[in-house]
Structures are given as structure tokens and as C-alpha cells.
């Protein structure tokens, strides 16, 4: 009986990992960007709660991982608290505000499901998740590259946006973000499976797919994340790791040059990234949105204008309604939830990145290198898009949290 439950549990969590990047739009009063994993996650949570043997595990999870649970609940609470301003705003989009809180709650449930399974099956579950994430990322990467090739051949299969790969994530920037996270996950999988070398063809495929999205934010963020880690290697005197990363960059650059010289699959991406900041590339409009967010925050410094109210509040500031969100995660929280909500959002990622930096400098373990590349890249890309409601980001944060907690998962330094 226990063996059957174990097989069901592992199958369900593996299926959940596979379903997360497959997204679709759902119109219920407002348009929701929903993952197929959301429905499965709810079913899994019911399955876990229904099994009374899991009650003791749930209690352990609450005590053991109180920090990330506290973070999630505090963030949700501060977002709800910002709704106090709904009573003072002239225009209020209540459905959008409620949906923002619901999305954060769904992300919190993803974390809870992951932690329960992790506590139940220990390191075997982590390896299982990393392995299935790797397989899924390879599939998404192949879809990205293949869809761009088809588009260049005159065949639009609906998985690109004007020639930019988006696969099943409905947005090239989200696809790029998923591939960035997957780069770190694949490296982590090799480390925990004790592969002889961390670098493998899967990582190269993911990086090529990342370029096929032509996401300027995604491309620049992975480059800056890698550069930051290289700098840490240099100042901490870890020459071996520094040489390794330089070799990785050399191999990847060679692959990209070969792809670029033999086809035009990534030519558009390279051209788009190189033209960042030029007239007509959309940068000036995003800067306008960021300035608008700061103006709203200046008028409501403590609680913001209310969660989800950036667009509906804009007529009170400018006399006309904006049509876009800030495209900046930090400024979204600052303008909509004030300094209180922003502080509730930012403290845990800062804590996590700080632990990784300290671990990298002090111990030099490879897991710190690759997790830090991913988290820094995500933090940078959050400057140009809103990532607070993206499922795989929260799961990546939870994985990073348990991996850097040395008291939990045994690890053999390589």
C-alpha cells in the first residue's frame, strides 16, 4: 500500500512539474493567465490532505520551513492591507485586485505542496523534481527553436510572437524567464545526481532556445547574472571555478556563432538585443511607466494605491487611463502596496541571494554558482517585466531555499 502511494505521489509531482509551463488564457470577469498545473496542484493538495498520515508531515513542514511560509503569508496579508485604499480611490478595479491576491495565494499553495512532498520523500523527491524539470525544459526548448525555424520557413504554428519563440507560455519574455530558471535547475540536477561534469548538452539547448525568444531582458539578465558570479569567483580567489565558467562561455559562444553563421534563426534575436535603447524599441515607454509608478507611490507612500490598481488609479494622477502595467515587479509592489508591501516582498529574495553569495565565497560549492546565476538573472529581469504571479518562479525560490539550508539536504561537494 505504501509503495503504491509513493508511486502515485511521485507521478503526481512529476506531472505537476511538466504541466506548469503549459499555459492558457481563461476569461472569468477578467482574463487570467492560467497554467494547467494549477488545476492539478489543487487536486494534489486535496489528495495530500485527505491522507491522514500526512497530517504529522504538514505539522513538521510548518515548523521546519516557517521562514518561507511566513514570507508568503506576510506578502499576501500586506497586499490585502493595501486594499484599504479602495475606499479612497475614485476608480477601483476590484476584480483585478482580488485576482492579484488569488494568484499569490495559488503560488503559496505550490510552495506548500512542494514542501510537503519534500519532507515526505527527502532528497529522492528533490532529485525527482529536478529530473522532470530538466526533461520538460528540453521539450520547451525544442518547441521554441522548432517554432522559430518553422516561422522562418513561412509556417506560423502559433507558438511564436512575430517570430519570437514563446512556446506554450504565451509570451516570449515568460518563455525566456522559464529557460533562465531551467538553466540553473539542469545544472543543479547534474550536481545532485553526481554527474562527472555539470555542463551538458541540455544546458546549451536551453541557452540557444533562450536566444530564440529574442527577449532583451532575458538575454541581458543571464549575461549579467553570469558576469556577477564570475566577478565573485575572481574576488574570492576561486580560479578553478573562474576558468570553468570562462570555458563554458567559450563553448556557448562557439555554438552560437555556428548557429548564427549557418542559419538566421537567432539573427533577429541578436539584432533586437543589440538595438536596445534605440528609438522605437519600447524602452522609452517603459521608462514612462516606471516614472508613473513612482508618482503614484509618492502620493501613497505607505499602503500604495491598492493591489492591482495601477491602471485604474492612473486617471487620478494623469487625467487619463494607462493601458499597461508598470512592467517592473519592484515598482508594481511599490506603487500598489507602498513601502509596507514592497518590504514584505523584497526581504526574502534579498536574504536568499545573500546566503548564496556568502556560501559561494565561503565554500565554493557548485550549487551556489548555478543557483546564484538563476536568481540574479531573475532579479534583473524583474526590472522589465512583472514576475510576481509566475508559478515556476515561486517554485524555484522554494527549491533554492531548501538547497541552501545545509541542515536539511546532505550534499557531496564535487
Amino acid at each position: 500500500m505504501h509503495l503504491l502511494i509513493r508511486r502515485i505521489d511521485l507521478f503526481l509531482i512529476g506531472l505537476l512539474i511538466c504541466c506548469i509551463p503549459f499555459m492558457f488564457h481563461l476569461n472569468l470577469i477578467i482574463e487570467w493567465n492560467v497554467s494547467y498545473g494549477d488545476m492539478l496542484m489543487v487536486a494534489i493538495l486535496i489528495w495530500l490532505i485527505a491522507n491522514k498520515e500526512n497530517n504529522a508531515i504538514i505539522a513538521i513542514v510548518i515548523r521546519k520551513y516557517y521562514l518561507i511560509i511566513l514570507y508568503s503569508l506576510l506578502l499576501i496579508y500586506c497586499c490585502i492591507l493595501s486594499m484599504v485604499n479602495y475606499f479612497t480611490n475614485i476608480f477601483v478595479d476590484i476584480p483585478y485586485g482580488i485576482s492579484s491576491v488569488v494568484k499569490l495565494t495559488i503560488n503559496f499553495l505550490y510552495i506548500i505542496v512542494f514542501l510537503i512532498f519534500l519532507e515526505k520523500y527527502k532528497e529522492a523527491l528533490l532529485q525527482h523534481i529536478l529530473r522532470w524539470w530538466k526533461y520538460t525544459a528540453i521539450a520547451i526548448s525544442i518547441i521554441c527553436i522548432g517554432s522559430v525555424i518553422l516561422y522562418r520557413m513561412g509556417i506560423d504554428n502559433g507558438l511564436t510572437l512575430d517570430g519570437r519563440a514563446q512556446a506554450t507560455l504565451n509570451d516570449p519574455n515568460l518563455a525566456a524567464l522559464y529557460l533562465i530558471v531551467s538553466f540553473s535547475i539542469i545544472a543543479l540536477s547534474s550536481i545532485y545526481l553526481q554527474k562527472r561534469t555539470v555542463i551538458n548538452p541540455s544546458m546549451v539547448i536551453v541557452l540557444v532556445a533562450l536566444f530564440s525568444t529574442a527577449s532583451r531582458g532575458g538575454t541581458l539578465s543571464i549575461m549579467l547574472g553570469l558576469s556577477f558570479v564570475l566577478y565573485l569567483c575572481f574576488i574570492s580567489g576561486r580560479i578553478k571555478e573562474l576558468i570553468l565558467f570562462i570555458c563554458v562561455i567559450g563553448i556557448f559562444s562557439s555554438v552560437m556563432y555556428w548557429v548564427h553563421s549557418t542559419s538566421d534563426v537567432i539573427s533577429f534575436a541578436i539584432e533586437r538585443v543589440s538595438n536596445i535603447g534605440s528609438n522605437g524599441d519600447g524602452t522609452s515607454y517603459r521608462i514612462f511607466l516606471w516614472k508613473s509608478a513612482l508618482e503614484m507611490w509618492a502620493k501613497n507612500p505607505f499602503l500604495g494605491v491598492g493591489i492591482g490598481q495601477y491602471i485604474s488609479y492612473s486617471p487620478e494622477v494623469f487625467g487619463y487611463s494607462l493601458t499597461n502595467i508598470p512592467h517592473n515587479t519592484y515598482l508594481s509592489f511599490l506603487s500598489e502596496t507602498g513601502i509596507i508591501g514592497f518590504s514584505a516582498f523584497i526581504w526574502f529574495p534579498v536574504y536568499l541571494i545573500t546566503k548564496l553569495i556568502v556560501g559561494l565565497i565561503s565554500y565554493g560549492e557548485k550549487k551556489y554558482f548555478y543557483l546564484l546565476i538563476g536568481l540574479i538573472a531573475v532579479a534583473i529581469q524583474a526590472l522589465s517585466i512583472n514576475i510576481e504571479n509566475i508559478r515556476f518562479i515561486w517554485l524555484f525560490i522554494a527549491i533554492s531555499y531548501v538547497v541552501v539550508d545545509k541542515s536539511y539536504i546532505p550534499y557531496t561537494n564535487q
Side-chain angles (χ1 to χ4, degrees):
M1 183 63 180
H2 288 289
L3 181 59
L4 177 61
I5 292 177
R6 176 187 173 89
R7 288 178 177 176
I8 294 175
D9 285 348
L10 293 180
F11 171 76
L12 288 174
I13 195 69
L15 185 61
L16 178 65
I17 296 300
C18 291
C19 289
I20 287 176
F22 290 85
M23 308 185 74
F24 63 97
H25 295 294
L26 181 65
N27 288 312
L28 289 175
I29 303 179
I30 64 170
E31 187 176 81
W32 299 65
N33 198 14
V34 183
S35 166
Y36 283 102
D38 295 348
M39 297 172 285
L40 180 59
M41 183 273 301
V42 174
I44 292 174
L45 188 61
I46 295 173
W47 160 260
L48 289 172
I49 295 175
N51 187 349
K52 294 182 179 180
E53 293 181 0
N54 291 327
N55 292 341
I57 296 176
I58 294 173
I60 294 174
V61 165
I62 294 173
R63 292 196 305 269
K64 195 169 186 178
Y65 302 105
Y66 69 91
L67 197 62
I68 192 170
I69 293 174
L70 175 65
Y71 167 63
S72 302
L73 293 177
L74 181 62
L75 179 59
I76 293 171
Y77 170 77
C78 289
C79 289
I80 294 174
L81 182 64
S82 72
M83 290 181 172
V84 170
N85 273 342
Y86 285 12
F87 298 101
T88 62
N89 295 351
I90 298 175
F91 305 102
V92 180
D93 189 346
I94 294 179
Y96 195 83
I98 293 175
S99 72
S100 298
V101 175
V102 170
K103 290 172 184 176
L104 287 174
T105 304
I106 291 173
N107 292 325
F108 169 66
L109 295 179
Y110 270 98
I111 293 175
I112 290 296
V113 167
F114 166 69
L115 293 177
I116 292 173
F117 274 117
L118 187 67
E119 184 61 29
K120 190 173 183 179
Y121 296 111
K122 308 298 181 183
E123 190 175 357
L125 188 278
L126 181 62
Q127 293 181 358
H128 181 75
I129 286 178
L130 296 176
R131 183 167 55 251
W132 279 99
W133 194 315
K134 173 183 175 180
Y135 296 152
T136 306
I138 293 173
I140 295 296
S141 298
I142 292 173
I143 292 173
C144 285
I145 297 170
S147 61
V148 170
I149 292 174
L150 290 175
Y151 184 86
R152 295 297 177 186
M153 295 171 59
I155 303 173
D156 188 355
N157 61 359
L159 297 177
T160 63
L161 179 64
D162 297 327
R164 300 173 58 196
Q166 60 182 359
T168 58
L169 289 107
N170 296 329
D171 183 87
N173 292 318
L174 291 188
L177 193 61
Y178 178 79
L179 294 168
I180 288 171
V181 170
S182 298
F183 176 83
S184 294
I185 291 292
I186 292 172
L188 198 64
S189 175
S190 297
I191 293 170
Y192 272 85
L193 294 176
Q194 298 187 2
K195 298 290 186 179
R196 180 172 298 179
T197 57
V198 176
I199 308 302
N200 56 72
S202 301
M203 298 171 71
V204 176
I205 293 173
V206 165
L207 289 176
V208 173
L210 171 60
F211 267 84
S212 73
T213 65
S215 171
R216 291 170 297 196
T219 304
L220 291 176
S221 64
I222 191 70
M223 289 180 175
L224 291 174
L226 183 57
S227 299
F228 179 76
V229 173
L230 283 171
Y231 174 72
L232 288 179
C233 292
F234 175 74
I235 64 174
S236 61
R238 301 196 174 277
I239 305 301
K240 180 180 178 181
E241 289 79 7
L242 183 62
I243 294 174
L244 172 64
F245 277 117
I246 292 175
C247 291
V248 171
I249 294 173
I251 294 172
F252 176 68
S253 299
S254 300
V255 172
M256 293 303 295
Y257 177 78
W258 177 78
V259 174
H260 178 58
S261 60
T262 56
S263 70
D264 62 349
V265 172
I266 61 172
S267 299
F268 172 66
I270 294 175
E271 180 181 354
R272 193 168 186 273
V273 173
S274 62
N275 288 335
I276 188 169
S278 61
N279 292 331
D281 75 331
T283 302
S284 59
Y285 181 62
R286 291 202 177 188
I287 293 175
F288 165 73
L289 293 175
W290 299 347
K291 290 181 178 179
S292 302
L294 288 173
E295 289 186 43
M296 292 184 191
W297 171 63
K299 292 180 179 294
N300 303 270
F302 297 105
L303 293 179
V305 302
I307 186 69
Q309 303 308 302
Y310 175 83
I311 293 177
S312 61
Y313 187 82
S314 58
E316 299 185 36
V317 180
F318 307 106
Y320 59 91
S321 179
L322 299 175
T323 57
N324 293 94
I325 58 179
H327 288 286
N328 185 306
T329 306
Y330 309 108
L331 293 181
S332 285
F333 274 104
L334 194 61
S335 62
E336 294 185 350
T337 64
I339 194 64
I340 294 176
F342 175 79
S343 299
F345 165 71
I346 201 67
W347 71 268
F348 188 80
V350 170
Y351 160 79
L352 193 57
I353 289 176
T354 301
K355 285 201 70 173
L356 282 169
I357 292 175
V358 173
L360 174 61
I361 295 175
S362 302
Y363 306 105
E365 294 179 356
K366 293 179 181 178
K367 60 180 180 180
Y368 295 115
F369 292 110
Y370 293 100
L371 283 178
L372 194 54
I373 290 172
L375 284 174
I376 292 294
V378 168
I380 293 172
Q381 197 168 2
L383 290 167
S384 60
I385 61 174
N386 285 67
I387 68 170
E388 66 270 19
N389 294 319
I390 301 176
R391 316 293 186 262
F392 57 82
I393 291 296
W394 289 91
L395 193 54
F396 179 54
I397 289 174
I399 291 173
S400 301
Y401 172 63
V402 298
V403 166
V404 299
D405 182 5
K406 291 189 174 185
S407 64
Y408 179 73
I409 298 177
Y411 173 77
T412 303
N413 194 12
Q414 297 186 21

